[in-house]
Structures are given as structure tokens and as C-alpha cells.
Amino acid sequence: MNRSSGYGKLVRDRIPQIIRGNGAEPVTYVADAEEYRDRLRDKLGEEVAEFLQADDARAPEELADVLEVLHALAADLGVDARQLEKIRQGKATERGGFANRIVWTGNR
């Protein structure tokens, strides 16, 4: 059953503890592997949207949230942060990064 389109949302591991500390009792369950991957993908979209709406002061915090989800997605795929960085570096070496601010508008 794919619940990612239904109710609830994936939250950070300590959120239930924080909710309890605020005097409420959270209702939670642990997602199976398929639902977890679906919810991580949903969470990535959510965090990217929050980054896109953030002002410059809040943007670094939102980027950190995006990075946390990326690390979780990579781990779910069996790739650790070091391996992910190696893949990123390989692509940057082969195709470049984005530091030069190049905008492509087509070919002649």
C-alpha cells in the first residue's frame, strides 16, 4: 500500500521525541522500504520547494534540509556520502560545474 499520497509525512528521527517534550503524544509508524523511498522522494520535493521560497537569510538552512534528504536517498540506494561526492566530482570533472554561470540558449 502506497501511503505517500495519503496521510502523514516523513519526519526527522527526533521529531516524535520533540513532540513528546512539548507535551503531546505523536501518532507514528515505521514505513516499509518501498513507502520509505516514496516518502523520501516526496520529502525532497517538499524541501526543494521550501528552498525555492526562502530568502537569502533562510536559504542555507533549507539547503541543509535538502542535503539531509539527499544523503538519506543515497543511503537507501546503498551509496554513502563519500561515494556520492565521488560521483559528483566525476561528473564535475567530465562536464564541469556551475561556477561560470553559463546559460545555454540553443545552437546555430
Side-chain angles (χ1 to χ4, degrees):
M1 176 178 174
N2 183 352
R3 295 183 208 187
S4 69
S5 60
Y7 63 96
K9 71 176 191 172
L10 188 65
V11 295
R12 289 176 177 264
D13 297 339
R14 293 192 62 237
I15 295 301
Q17 177 184 347
I18 292 168
I19 291 169
R20 283 186 198 98
N22 290 329
E25 185 57 35
V27 177
T28 65
Y29 67 92
V30 176
D32 65 25
E34 181 182 353
E35 181 183 358
Y36 176 62
R37 186 169 288 176
D38 286 345
R39 288 197 181 263
L40 277 173
R41 289 171 183 252
D42 291 345
K43 190 65 153 180
L44 179 59
E46 175 188 324
E47 297 298 350
V48 167
E50 288 176 9
F51 166 73
L52 292 173
Q53 294 173 0
D55 60 20
D56 286 353
R58 186 130 170 95
E61 185 175 330
E62 297 302 338
L63 275 178
D65 290 343
V66 170
L67 188 57
E68 187 69 30
V69 176
L70 289 175
H71 283 189
L73 280 163
D76 187 59
L77 293 169
V79 177
D80 66 22
R82 186 176 43 78
Q83 291 170 303
L84 187 60
E85 178 59 15
K86 187 174 180 179
I87 293 166
R88 187 205 64 77
Q89 286 176 345
K91 291 189 85 163
T93 298
E94 179 183 324
R95 301 180 66 101
F98 296 98
N100 292 338
R101 303 179 185 181
I102 297 169
V103 177
W104 179 54
T105 60
N107 296 335
R108 292 181 206 243

XYZ file of all heavy atoms in Angstrom:
848
model
N 0.843 -1.189 0.000
C 0.000 0.000 0.000
C 0.880 1.242 0.000
O 1.720 1.421 0.859
C -0.887 -0.037 1.244
C -1.753 1.175 1.422
S -2.769 0.924 2.884
C -3.524 2.511 2.978
N 0.722 2.101 -0.970
C 1.500 3.331 -1.059
C 0.778 4.425 -0.296
O -0.178 4.996 -0.766
C 1.694 3.717 -2.520
C 2.548 4.955 -2.678
O 2.871 5.618 -1.695
N 2.891 5.254 -3.897
N 1.272 4.721 0.898
C 0.632 5.731 1.730
C 1.178 7.125 1.482
O 0.682 8.074 2.051
C 0.813 5.387 3.204
C 0.118 4.112 3.585
C 0.265 3.865 5.053
N 0.209 2.430 5.249
C 0.166 1.843 6.402
N 0.214 2.539 7.494
N 0.112 0.554 6.498
N 2.233 7.240 0.661
C 2.840 8.553 0.493
C 1.868 9.551 -0.122
O 2.017 10.743 0.070
C 4.117 8.472 -0.330
O 3.846 8.152 -1.664
N 0.888 9.087 -0.862
C -0.096 10.009 -1.411
C -1.263 10.203 -0.448
O -2.125 11.029 -0.686
C -0.610 9.489 -2.755
O -1.224 8.222 -2.571
N -1.266 9.470 0.649
C -2.351 9.561 1.621
C -2.021 10.485 2.768
O -1.747 11.654 2.575
N -2.014 9.978 3.944
C -1.856 10.789 5.146
C -0.442 10.719 5.703
O 0.323 9.831 5.387
C -2.858 10.329 6.205
C -2.625 8.904 6.658
C -1.878 8.660 7.801
C -3.117 7.823 5.947
C -1.637 7.357 8.229
C -2.881 6.522 6.360
C -2.148 6.306 7.503
O -1.901 5.028 7.916
N -0.134 11.681 6.526
C 1.143 11.701 7.204
C 2.271 12.175 6.310
O 2.087 12.407 5.115
N 3.429 12.357 6.938
C 4.615 12.725 6.168
C 5.843 12.214 6.891
O 5.834 12.021 8.106
C 4.696 14.228 5.936
C 5.016 15.057 7.160
C 5.155 16.523 6.754
C 5.733 17.346 7.886
N 6.046 18.711 7.462
N 6.884 12.003 6.139
C 8.153 11.571 6.696
C 8.747 12.723 7.499
O 8.775 13.858 7.028
C 9.097 11.178 5.555
C 10.418 10.522 5.947
C 10.165 9.161 6.598
C 11.302 10.377 4.720
N 9.178 12.420 8.719
C 9.785 13.435 9.575
C 11.141 12.947 10.065
O 11.437 11.757 10.045
C 8.885 13.790 10.791
C 7.583 14.440 10.329
C 8.597 12.576 11.669
N 11.956 13.881 10.522
C 13.260 13.542 11.077
C 13.083 12.649 12.304
O 12.068 12.709 12.995
C 14.020 14.814 11.457
C 14.493 15.596 10.244
C 15.142 16.898 10.712
N 15.685 17.668 9.618
C 16.956 17.626 9.240
N 17.814 16.863 9.876
N 17.368 18.364 8.235
N 14.098 11.839 12.575
C 14.025 10.806 13.610
C 13.686 11.329 15.004
O 13.046 10.627 15.786
C 15.343 10.033 13.676
C 15.648 9.294 12.383
O 14.714 9.035 11.596
O 16.827 8.979 12.161
N 14.104 12.529 15.347
C 13.892 13.040 16.703
C 12.575 13.803 16.870
O 12.244 14.224 17.978
C 15.064 13.929 17.118
C 16.369 13.132 17.279
C 17.475 13.910 17.960
N 17.079 14.271 19.308
C 17.042 15.532 19.761
N 17.379 16.541 19.014
N 16.662 15.768 21.008
N 11.818 13.987 15.792
C 10.582 14.763 15.868
C 9.588 14.172 16.870
O 9.029 14.922 17.677
C 9.953 14.954 14.469
C 10.874 15.812 13.590
C 8.560 15.551 14.558
C 11.190 17.204 14.118
N 9.353 12.855 16.905
C 8.430 12.339 17.926
C 8.881 12.676 19.357
O 8.062 13.049 20.200
C 8.431 10.825 17.679
C 8.749 10.703 16.220
C 9.753 11.797 15.954
N 10.172 12.594 19.614
C 10.717 12.935 20.933
C 10.483 14.419 21.237
O 10.113 14.777 22.360
C 12.208 12.612 20.953
C 12.921 12.966 22.228
C 14.424 12.706 22.115
O 14.894 12.046 21.191
N 15.164 13.228 23.062
N 10.679 15.270 20.264
C 10.463 16.703 20.451
C 8.990 16.985 20.721
O 8.652 17.790 21.605
C 10.981 17.489 19.224
C 12.514 17.388 19.165
C 10.513 18.933 19.248
C 13.137 17.861 17.863
N 8.106 16.318 20.000
C 6.664 16.481 20.219
C 6.305 16.061 21.638
O 5.559 16.757 22.342
C 5.852 15.687 19.173
C 6.026 16.333 17.793
C 4.377 15.606 19.564
C 5.485 15.506 16.640
N 6.851 14.917 22.092
C 6.601 14.465 23.473
C 7.107 15.489 24.481
O 6.461 15.746 25.492
C 7.259 13.113 23.712
C 6.515 11.959 23.108
C 7.128 10.602 23.499
N 6.655 9.606 22.570
C 7.346 9.169 21.507
N 8.565 9.610 21.269
N 6.814 8.276 20.701
N 8.262 16.069 24.190
C 8.822 17.088 25.072
C 7.950 18.318 25.170
O 8.016 19.057 26.157
N 7.110 18.537 24.155
C 6.179 19.665 24.153
C 4.816 19.283 24.729
O 3.871 20.063 24.638
C 6.022 20.230 22.740
C 7.267 20.941 22.269
O 8.006 21.523 23.063
N 7.525 20.904 20.971
N 4.718 18.063 25.300
C 3.503 17.659 25.998
C 2.449 16.959 25.171
O 1.354 16.698 25.673
N 2.734 16.636 23.910
C 1.766 15.924 23.073
C 2.274 14.510 22.823
O 3.449 14.209 23.051
C 1.556 16.656 21.758
N 1.382 13.647 22.376
C 1.761 12.275 22.056
C 1.611 12.068 20.551
O 0.499 12.033 20.028
C 0.907 11.275 22.823
C 1.310 9.830 22.631
C 2.776 9.525 23.000
O 3.305 10.137 23.946
O 3.373 8.666 22.330
N 2.727 11.910 19.820
C 2.644 11.743 18.367
C 2.126 10.359 17.985
O 2.382 9.382 18.683
C 4.094 11.914 17.920
C 4.893 11.454 19.090
C 4.109 11.872 20.306
N 1.418 10.303 16.887
C 0.973 9.035 16.314
C 1.867 8.787 15.110
O 1.879 9.583 14.160
C -0.510 9.101 15.893
C -0.935 7.795 15.235
C -1.388 9.431 17.099
N 2.633 7.691 15.162
C 3.604 7.401 14.111
C 3.588 5.921 13.765
O 3.005 5.110 14.498
C 5.037 7.773 14.555
O 5.413 6.936 15.646
C 5.142 9.235 14.958
N 4.231 5.580 12.682
C 4.545 4.194 12.341
C 5.822 4.209 11.522
O 6.248 5.265 11.047
C 3.393 3.502 11.594
C 3.120 4.047 10.213
C 3.740 3.494 9.088
C 2.244 5.110 10.024
C 3.488 3.987 7.828
C 1.994 5.611 8.761
C 2.617 5.050 7.665
O 2.373 5.549 6.411
N 6.429 3.059 11.346
C 7.650 2.946 10.559
C 7.276 2.463 9.159
O 6.634 1.420 9.002
C 8.653 1.982 11.232
C 9.883 1.786 10.356
C 9.040 2.491 12.610
N 7.686 3.222 8.152
C 7.385 2.892 6.763
C 8.170 1.656 6.328
O 9.307 1.448 6.766
C 7.744 4.074 5.864
N 7.577 0.850 5.457
C 8.346 -0.239 4.857
C 9.291 0.357 3.812
O 9.262 1.565 3.537
C 7.430 -1.314 4.268
C 6.568 -0.846 3.100
O 6.932 0.129 2.401
O 5.528 -1.470 2.863
N 10.139 -0.457 3.226
C 11.185 0.028 2.328
C 10.631 0.791 1.128
O 11.149 1.847 0.760
C 12.057 -1.138 1.866
N 9.575 0.272 0.520
C 9.001 0.925 -0.660
C 8.379 2.270 -0.302
O 8.598 3.279 -0.985
C 7.950 0.022 -1.306
C 7.319 0.625 -2.541
C 6.244 -0.263 -3.157
O 6.066 -1.409 -2.719
O 5.586 0.226 -4.080
N 7.618 2.290 0.781
C 6.993 3.545 1.203
C 8.053 4.561 1.620
O 7.934 5.754 1.326
C 6.019 3.306 2.357
C 5.346 4.592 2.807
C 4.425 4.429 3.999
O 4.251 3.293 4.503
O 3.896 5.462 4.443
N 9.096 4.089 2.303
C 10.170 4.977 2.732
C 10.791 5.685 1.532
O 10.961 6.904 1.526
C 11.223 4.174 3.499
C 12.443 4.954 3.924
C 12.346 6.036 4.795
C 13.706 4.596 3.465
C 13.477 6.746 5.191
C 14.840 5.295 3.860
C 14.715 6.364 4.722
O 15.825 7.062 5.116
N 11.109 4.934 0.481
C 11.704 5.535 -0.710
C 10.738 6.527 -1.346
O 11.138 7.627 -1.742
C 12.121 4.470 -1.711
C 12.879 5.063 -2.892
C 13.518 4.031 -3.754
N 14.668 3.440 -3.068
C 15.373 2.442 -3.566
N 15.062 1.932 -4.737
N 16.399 1.956 -2.910
N 9.462 6.172 -1.442
C 8.452 7.092 -1.996
C 8.372 8.369 -1.163
O 8.328 9.474 -1.698
C 7.071 6.436 -2.022
C 6.915 5.384 -3.095
O 7.762 5.327 -4.027
O 5.951 4.598 -2.999
N 8.356 8.202 0.150
C 8.238 9.373 1.028
C 9.498 10.223 1.006
O 9.427 11.445 1.136
C 7.866 8.953 2.440
C 6.407 8.465 2.516
C 5.920 8.436 3.935
N 4.558 7.957 4.048
C 3.498 8.759 4.126
N 3.638 10.070 4.077
N 2.294 8.249 4.261
N 10.662 9.606 0.851
C 11.894 10.393 0.712
C 11.844 11.242 -0.554
O 12.245 12.412 -0.551
C 13.128 9.485 0.673
C 13.691 9.035 1.997
C 14.795 8.008 1.783
C 14.221 10.219 2.812
N 11.354 10.681 -1.633
C 11.225 11.438 -2.880
C 10.247 12.595 -2.699
O 10.497 13.712 -3.158
C 10.804 10.523 -4.027
C 11.916 9.592 -4.452
C 11.427 8.542 -5.449
N 12.484 7.625 -5.774
C 13.113 7.599 -6.950
N 12.787 8.436 -7.898
N 14.071 6.720 -7.158
N 9.128 12.323 -2.013
C 8.171 13.392 -1.710
C 8.831 14.469 -0.853
O 8.643 15.667 -1.070
C 6.949 12.843 -0.968
C 6.067 11.953 -1.820
O 6.205 11.948 -3.067
O 5.220 11.241 -1.223
N 9.604 14.029 0.140
C 10.271 14.954 1.050
C 11.275 15.816 0.306
O 11.407 17.010 0.587
C 10.957 14.166 2.175
C 11.470 15.022 3.298
C 10.310 15.683 3.984
C 10.598 16.011 5.417
N 9.438 16.644 6.050
N 11.982 15.233 -0.663
C 12.923 16.012 -1.451
C 12.195 17.145 -2.170
O 12.646 18.296 -2.147
C 13.663 15.123 -2.453
C 14.675 15.845 -3.351
C 15.754 16.531 -2.525
C 15.282 14.846 -4.325
N 11.071 16.838 -2.776
C 10.278 17.877 -3.447
C 9.835 18.959 -2.479
O 9.897 20.159 -2.788
N 9.401 18.535 -1.290
C 8.965 19.482 -0.258
C 10.112 20.404 0.161
O 9.948 21.626 0.244
C 8.453 18.691 0.949
C 8.080 19.499 2.156
C 7.777 18.622 3.368
O 7.215 17.520 3.201
O 8.131 19.041 4.484
N 11.277 19.816 0.402
C 12.421 20.605 0.857
C 12.943 21.523 -0.247
O 13.332 22.663 0.024
C 13.533 19.700 1.385
C 13.149 18.879 2.608
C 12.785 19.706 3.832
O 12.997 20.945 3.848
O 12.278 19.121 4.796
N 12.940 21.062 -1.496
C 13.362 21.914 -2.607
C 12.397 23.094 -2.743
O 12.822 24.244 -2.928
C 13.473 21.120 -3.925
C 13.596 22.047 -5.129
C 14.650 20.163 -3.862
N 11.102 22.832 -2.624
C 10.115 23.911 -2.704
C 10.346 24.935 -1.595
O 10.259 26.152 -1.836
C 8.696 23.340 -2.623
N 10.657 24.473 -0.379
C 10.926 25.398 0.721
C 12.181 26.221 0.432
O 12.211 27.423 0.716
C 11.065 24.638 2.040
C 9.738 24.101 2.535
C 9.861 23.262 3.792
O 10.955 23.225 4.408
O 8.849 22.635 4.174
N 13.208 25.595 -0.156
C 14.404 26.344 -0.533
C 14.067 27.414 -1.565
O 14.508 28.557 -1.458
C 15.492 25.411 -1.071
C 16.587 26.158 -1.773
C 17.511 26.896 -1.051
C 16.668 26.156 -3.150
C 18.501 27.619 -1.699
C 17.652 26.876 -3.803
C 18.569 27.612 -3.074
N 13.293 27.048 -2.578
C 12.967 27.991 -3.645
C 12.183 29.190 -3.135
O 12.274 30.282 -3.702
C 12.190 27.281 -4.760
C 12.975 26.243 -5.554
C 12.065 25.493 -6.513
C 14.148 26.878 -6.291
N 11.450 29.014 -2.054
C 10.661 30.106 -1.484
C 11.428 30.893 -0.427
O 10.986 31.960 -0.015
C 9.373 29.554 -0.868
C 8.430 28.965 -1.903
C 7.235 28.281 -1.274
O 7.082 28.234 -0.059
N 6.355 27.748 -2.108
N 12.583 30.403 -0.015
C 13.333 31.022 1.079
C 14.064 32.281 0.623
O 14.533 32.358 -0.512
C 14.335 30.025 1.650
N 14.179 33.229 1.538
C 15.022 34.392 1.262
C 16.479 34.002 1.502
O 16.771 32.899 1.961
C 14.603 35.591 2.117
C 14.700 35.331 3.620
O 15.423 34.406 4.058
O 14.059 36.083 4.377
N 17.397 34.889 1.180
C 18.825 34.570 1.279
C 19.245 34.205 2.699
O 20.143 33.380 2.884
C 19.679 35.738 0.770
C 19.648 35.867 -0.747
O 19.078 34.981 -1.416
O 20.193 36.867 -1.249
N 18.621 34.795 3.701
C 18.987 34.504 5.086
C 18.605 33.078 5.476
O 19.321 32.418 6.228
C 18.328 35.506 6.035
N 17.486 32.599 4.985
C 16.981 31.268 5.341
C 17.455 30.176 4.380
O 17.407 28.984 4.702
C 15.458 31.310 5.376
C 14.801 30.060 5.855
C 13.766 30.318 6.934
N 13.018 29.112 7.177
C 13.310 28.243 8.130
N 14.309 28.470 8.936
N 12.600 27.153 8.277
N 17.927 30.554 3.205
C 18.303 29.592 2.173
C 19.329 28.558 2.629
O 19.161 27.369 2.325
C 18.785 30.321 0.924
N 20.397 28.928 3.359
C 21.354 27.899 3.781
C 20.723 26.804 4.648
O 21.048 25.625 4.489
C 22.408 28.692 4.565
C 22.338 30.063 3.980
C 20.875 30.278 3.681
N 19.816 27.172 5.540
C 19.143 26.173 6.372
C 18.290 25.242 5.517
O 18.262 24.027 5.736
C 18.276 26.874 7.426
C 17.643 25.900 8.391
C 16.876 26.582 9.502
O 17.233 27.703 9.893
O 15.916 25.956 9.989
N 17.613 25.810 4.533
C 16.792 24.991 3.641
C 17.659 24.081 2.774
O 17.305 22.932 2.517
C 15.879 25.873 2.783
C 14.875 26.685 3.574
C 13.941 25.860 4.449
O 13.748 24.657 4.194
O 13.391 26.435 5.418
N 18.817 24.581 2.331
C 19.740 23.733 1.563
C 20.243 22.575 2.420
O 20.414 21.459 1.916
C 20.928 24.553 1.063
C 20.736 25.311 -0.234
C 21.990 26.125 -0.562
C 20.380 24.392 -1.381
N 20.477 22.838 3.699
C 20.905 21.766 4.602
C 19.830 20.689 4.701
O 20.140 19.493 4.759
C 21.234 22.331 5.978
N 18.556 21.095 4.707
C 17.460 20.125 4.724
C 17.451 19.301 3.437
O 17.244 18.084 3.464
C 16.110 20.824 4.911
C 15.918 21.396 6.308
O 16.661 20.992 7.229
O 15.029 22.250 6.476
N 17.663 19.959 2.296
C 17.738 19.246 1.013
C 18.876 18.231 1.065
O 18.714 17.067 0.665
C 17.925 20.231 -0.163
C 18.246 19.484 -1.459
C 16.692 21.106 -0.338
N 20.032 18.657 1.569
C 21.192 17.775 1.654
C 20.918 16.572 2.553
O 21.316 15.442 2.237
C 22.405 18.564 2.161
C 23.746 17.852 2.121
C 24.088 17.379 0.716
C 24.828 18.778 2.662
N 20.218 16.780 3.667
C 19.869 15.668 4.562
C 19.030 14.620 3.835
O 19.254 13.418 3.952
C 19.123 16.189 5.793
C 18.875 15.146 6.851
C 20.140 14.683 7.555
O 21.092 15.476 7.686
O 20.175 13.510 7.969
N 18.055 15.090 3.058
C 17.211 14.166 2.302
C 18.025 13.476 1.209
O 17.880 12.274 0.985
C 15.977 14.883 1.713
C 15.150 13.930 0.851
C 15.111 15.463 2.828
N 18.918 14.211 0.547
C 19.767 13.599 -0.479
C 20.633 12.499 0.122
O 20.778 11.424 -0.477
C 20.654 14.652 -1.147
C 19.947 15.637 -2.064
C 20.925 16.693 -2.559
C 19.282 14.931 -3.225
N 21.188 12.743 1.287
C 22.001 11.710 1.947
C 21.150 10.487 2.290
O 21.614 9.355 2.133
C 22.671 12.279 3.189
C 23.851 13.139 2.885
N 24.699 13.606 3.851
C 24.340 13.617 1.720
C 25.653 14.338 3.294
N 25.443 14.360 1.998
N 19.922 10.713 2.756
C 19.038 9.583 3.075
C 18.676 8.800 1.818
O 18.650 7.559 1.833
C 17.781 10.079 3.787
N 18.387 9.503 0.727
C 18.079 8.825 -0.534
C 19.276 8.021 -1.022
O 19.130 6.880 -1.464
C 17.661 9.837 -1.606
C 16.220 10.321 -1.534
C 16.048 11.596 -2.343
C 15.274 9.235 -2.028
N 20.456 8.614 -0.952
C 21.662 7.907 -1.376
C 21.876 6.650 -0.529
O 22.149 5.571 -1.064
C 22.881 8.832 -1.281
N 21.734 6.788 0.793
C 21.902 5.633 1.681
C 20.891 4.540 1.347
O 21.224 3.352 1.344
C 21.765 6.065 3.140
N 19.662 4.951 1.033
C 18.632 3.982 0.664
C 19.012 3.233 -0.612
O 18.634 2.083 -0.794
C 17.286 4.687 0.499
C 16.147 3.714 0.294
O 15.933 2.865 1.180
O 15.484 3.799 -0.756
N 19.784 3.883 -1.471
C 20.260 3.254 -2.702
C 21.583 2.516 -2.502
O 22.161 1.996 -3.453
C 20.430 4.320 -3.800
C 19.135 4.968 -4.280
C 19.453 6.173 -5.147
C 18.270 3.972 -5.030
N 22.092 2.522 -1.271
C 23.336 1.829 -0.968
C 24.579 2.653 -1.266
O 25.659 2.098 -1.427
N 24.422 3.962 -1.342
C 25.532 4.868 -1.651
C 25.777 5.759 -0.445
O 24.873 6.459 -0.001
C 25.187 5.733 -2.889
C 26.286 6.728 -3.183
C 24.890 4.866 -4.095
N 27.009 5.737 0.087
C 27.286 6.608 1.236
C 27.691 7.997 0.745
O 27.876 8.227 -0.458
C 28.319 5.999 2.184
C 29.715 5.861 1.604
O 30.054 6.577 0.639
O 30.486 5.041 2.130
N 27.825 8.933 1.680
C 28.121 10.325 1.334
C 29.435 10.443 0.567
O 29.553 11.248 -0.369
C 28.147 11.183 2.592
N 30.419 9.635 0.928
C 31.716 9.669 0.248
C 31.573 9.224 -1.206
O 32.120 9.840 -2.121
C 32.714 8.791 1.006
C 34.130 8.842 0.492
C 35.088 8.020 1.346
N 34.598 6.715 1.763
C 34.568 5.623 0.979
N 35.010 5.685 -0.246
N 34.109 4.485 1.442
N 30.820 8.150 -1.417
C 30.600 7.665 -2.783
C 29.811 8.689 -3.601
O 30.105 8.908 -4.778
C 29.836 6.343 -2.764
C 30.619 5.173 -2.210
C 29.718 3.971 -1.992
O 28.722 4.054 -1.266
N 30.058 2.870 -2.627
N 28.806 9.294 -2.985
C 28.004 10.294 -3.666
C 28.873 11.474 -4.091
O 28.774 11.964 -5.226
C 26.858 10.765 -2.766
C 25.822 11.685 -3.400
C 25.130 11.006 -4.573
C 24.812 12.130 -2.356
N 29.749 11.912 -3.203
C 30.659 13.010 -3.529
C 31.611 12.616 -4.653
O 31.900 13.428 -5.540
C 31.436 13.452 -2.288
C 32.450 14.550 -2.526
C 31.884 15.850 -3.086
O 30.650 16.065 -3.052
O 32.683 16.659 -3.604
N 32.063 11.377 -4.661
C 32.948 10.904 -5.735
C 32.213 10.930 -7.077
O 32.785 11.328 -8.096
C 33.448 9.491 -5.415
C 34.483 8.984 -6.377
C 35.035 7.648 -5.937
C 36.081 7.163 -6.918
N 36.655 5.889 -6.530
N 30.957 10.528 -7.088
C 30.144 10.577 -8.311
C 29.982 12.027 -8.760
O 30.138 12.351 -9.939
C 28.772 9.901 -8.088
C 28.940 8.399 -7.852
C 27.841 10.167 -9.269
C 27.697 7.714 -7.308
N 29.690 12.914 -7.809
C 29.532 14.334 -8.128
C 30.816 14.902 -8.715
O 30.793 15.592 -9.734
C 29.134 15.131 -6.880
C 28.800 16.598 -7.189
C 28.997 17.506 -6.001
N 30.361 17.594 -5.542
C 31.332 18.320 -6.138
N 31.086 19.007 -7.226
N 32.554 18.340 -5.632
N 31.943 14.575 -8.100
C 33.235 15.071 -8.591
C 33.540 14.547 -9.992
O 34.060 15.283 -10.834
C 34.362 14.686 -7.630
C 34.366 15.499 -6.362
C 35.448 15.036 -5.381
O 36.011 13.952 -5.514
N 35.720 15.867 -4.388
N 33.215 13.294 -10.233
C 33.429 12.722 -11.561
C 32.634 13.451 -12.624
O 33.143 13.764 -13.710
N 31.368 13.743 -12.318
C 30.539 14.482 -13.266
C 31.061 15.894 -13.464
O 31.062 16.427 -14.571
C 29.084 14.506 -12.796
C 28.433 13.130 -12.872
C 26.965 13.205 -12.620
C 26.295 13.539 -13.928
N 24.876 13.288 -13.965
N 31.533 16.515 -12.373
C 32.082 17.876 -12.476
C 33.347 17.881 -13.324
O 33.562 18.802 -14.121
C 32.352 18.439 -11.081
N 34.167 16.856 -13.174
C 35.382 16.767 -13.981
C 35.039 16.564 -15.455
O 35.616 17.203 -16.335
C 36.276 15.609 -13.484
O 36.662 15.885 -12.134
C 37.505 15.436 -14.346
N 34.078 15.698 -15.727
C 33.696 15.378 -17.102
C 32.920 16.507 -17.776
O 33.169 16.852 -18.924
C 32.848 14.104 -17.112
C 32.378 13.689 -18.481
C 31.485 12.464 -18.430
O 31.734 11.582 -17.597
O 30.533 12.414 -19.226
N 31.965 17.083 -17.052
C 31.037 18.040 -17.667
C 31.135 19.452 -17.088
O 30.511 20.372 -17.600
C 29.613 17.529 -17.510
C 29.420 16.154 -18.158
C 28.016 15.659 -18.006
N 27.072 16.487 -18.731
C 26.546 16.168 -19.905
N 26.887 15.050 -20.492
N 25.666 16.960 -20.472
N 31.888 19.607 -16.016
C 32.005 20.904 -15.367
C 30.969 21.073 -14.272
O 30.104 20.230 -14.069
N 31.098 22.178 -13.561
C 30.134 22.527 -12.512
C 29.245 23.657 -13.006
O 28.912 23.721 -14.194
N 28.899 24.556 -12.115
C 28.034 25.679 -12.469
C 28.642 27.026 -12.084
O 27.981 28.055 -12.166
C 26.669 25.520 -11.788
C 25.927 24.305 -12.270
C 25.961 23.130 -11.537
C 25.207 24.327 -13.452
C 25.293 21.995 -11.980
C 24.537 23.203 -13.903
C 24.580 22.031 -13.162
N 29.904 27.041 -11.680
C 30.545 28.256 -11.178
C 30.650 29.359 -12.221
O 30.657 30.542 -11.871
C 31.938 27.923 -10.637
N 30.707 29.005 -13.496
C 30.881 30.018 -14.542
C 29.571 30.666 -14.991
O 29.574 31.511 -15.888
C 31.615 29.428 -15.746
C 33.049 29.087 -15.423
O 33.630 29.616 -14.480
N 33.626 28.185 -16.198
N 28.457 30.236 -14.415
C 27.134 30.861 -14.660
C 26.712 30.820 -16.124
O 26.023 31.722 -16.613
C 27.121 32.294 -14.161
C 27.461 32.445 -12.700
C 27.446 33.901 -12.322
N 27.882 34.058 -10.948
C 27.958 35.223 -10.340
N 27.615 36.332 -10.967
N 28.361 35.297 -9.089
N 27.084 29.810 -16.857
C 26.789 29.710 -18.288
C 25.319 29.339 -18.495
O 24.811 28.392 -17.893
C 27.705 28.663 -18.960
C 29.162 29.124 -18.853
C 27.282 28.415 -20.403
C 30.174 28.066 -19.242
N 24.646 30.096 -19.352
C 23.256 29.826 -19.725
C 23.238 29.465 -21.199
O 23.686 30.245 -22.051
C 22.360 31.062 -19.465
C 20.935 30.783 -19.931
C 22.389 31.447 -17.999
N 22.761 28.286 -21.528
C 22.680 27.821 -22.916
C 21.334 28.201 -23.486
O 20.292 27.973 -22.853
C 22.879 26.316 -22.963
C 22.786 25.705 -24.316
C 23.496 26.062 -25.419
C 21.952 24.640 -24.711
N 23.165 25.270 -26.490
C 22.198 24.374 -26.077
C 20.999 23.868 -24.052
C 21.547 23.381 -26.788
C 20.357 22.865 -24.749
C 20.622 22.638 -26.116
N 21.307 28.778 -24.683
C 20.052 29.190 -25.305
C 19.766 28.454 -26.601
O 18.809 28.787 -27.300
C 20.056 30.711 -25.569
O 21.137 31.038 -26.444
C 20.177 31.490 -24.260
N 20.599 27.468 -26.923
C 20.361 26.690 -28.137
C 21.592 26.668 -29.017
O 22.662 27.136 -28.622
N 21.453 26.122 -30.238
C 22.550 26.022 -31.202
C 22.212 26.801 -32.457
O 21.042 27.043 -32.760
C 22.794 24.544 -31.573
C 23.244 23.722 -30.396
O 23.816 24.240 -29.449
N 22.976 22.431 -30.448
N 23.253 27.157 -33.220
C 23.046 27.849 -34.519
C 23.153 26.852 -35.644
O 23.826 25.902 -35.603
C 24.113 28.928 -34.709
C 23.945 30.040 -33.743
C 25.030 31.090 -33.993
N 25.222 31.785 -32.735
C 24.988 33.055 -32.569
N 24.615 33.790 -33.555
N 25.167 33.618 -31.418
